[in-house]
Amino acid sequence: MLRISKLTDYAIVVTAAMAGDPKRIFSAAELSSETHLEPPTVAKVLKMLTRSDLVQSFRGASGGYRLARTPADITVAQLIVAMEGPIGMTQCSVHQGLCSTEAVCALRGHWQQISRAVHAALSEMTLLDMTRPTITHTLVPELKLHNQTTESP
Amino acid sequence: MLRISKLTDYAIVVTAAMAGDPKRIFSAAELSSETHLEPPTVAKVLKMLTRSDLVQSFRGASGGYRLARTPADITVAQLIVAMEGPIGMTQCSVHQGLCSTEAVCALRGHWQQISRAVHAALSEMTLLDMTRPTITHTLVPELKLHNQTTESP
DNA sequence: GCAAATAGTACAATTTTAGTCCTCTTTACC
DNA sequence: GGTAAAGAGGACTAAAATTGTACTATTTGC
Ligand code: FES
Ligand code: FES
């Protein structure tokens, strides 16, 4: 299914909520009730994002979190990388020894190429885009070109 | 990490091996020794691919498997879909009820857009491409346009 | 009929992921 | 200075998904 983890999904929900008011400092509890996610989960996500410098944290009473940059400068790719590590689709992008003859195997280079393409696609969507009304920048005509033979349940 | 499953990886290794001689009928055992993957694993993968009509199977003595189409007509996207189901990156692409207010949530549509972009990227790589020497069709200049701020170990 | 080979299904073990909790440190405010 | 609010960090449990394997049935060539 080629999916991101739930935690990553949450991270985007939470940051999208923060993007609604980029200057404001939100406590984890506030974000929890706003997003309807469990407080410990929200806290965990925010901590991870803080370590990657995508959000700023303020400790102490009346502390909280704030986006470290403007929503337009935070991409989905960055969020995914922060939560899951580098985008690489195969084991063999990292290790080797899976394939027939490692030395001869052409697949590896191609996987890296594919990963870059995916990364590029994910880099084009920013948090700002995500907060816009859904079908905003409709590239609908373009989409018709790829008629999904593979449906979507 | 946004990765495909190992089984999917194997599927591509196996089909790439078959692409080396598209007309030939390989037994699962042959493919196993050629790819250095365990026989039961190779068998499982081939069965799944058969159900999606990406490979043809021939039962009985001297039976085996063969690609159902030419390598140029089988894309990585098709292989991934065959192994993992439709490409959709989030839960919320399928279910709903995760986000603040489902009705208002702008994310869902954007996720679908992203998934389509990824699918398009994966559709551009065929099995034929995969069997070519690694850096074959270098779209390198194009890649430079997206300077990865997020590195890649 | 027999042997080779796939189909299909079911299962156990492993590995990941999710989710929670607890303790420590920092800071605002009285 | 004391107290309470809030985050940092890590450890731990439980649940889910993935892997890998085994077994039985069916098909086909000789
Ligand atoms: S399949 Fe990844 S290096 Fe060969
Ligand atoms: S986050 Fe997916 S629908 Fe809102």
Side-chain angles (χ1 to χ4, degrees), chain A residues 90 92-93 98-99 105 107-108 111, chain B residues 9 13:
Chain A
T90 55
C92 78
S93 320
L98 279 177
C99 26
C105 179
L107 299 189
R108 195 136 170 247
W111 273 124
Chain B
D9 196 350
V13 173

Side-chain angles (χ1 to χ4, degrees), chain B residues 30 47 59 61 66 77 87:
Chain B
E30 284 170 342
K47 282 182 239 182
R59 302 181 67 163
R66 186 176 62 182
I87 292 175

Side-chain angles (χ1 to χ4, degrees), chain A residues 13, chain B residues 92 99 105 107-108:
Chain A
V13 172
Chain B
C92 79
C99 26
C105 180
L107 299 190
R108 195 136 170 248

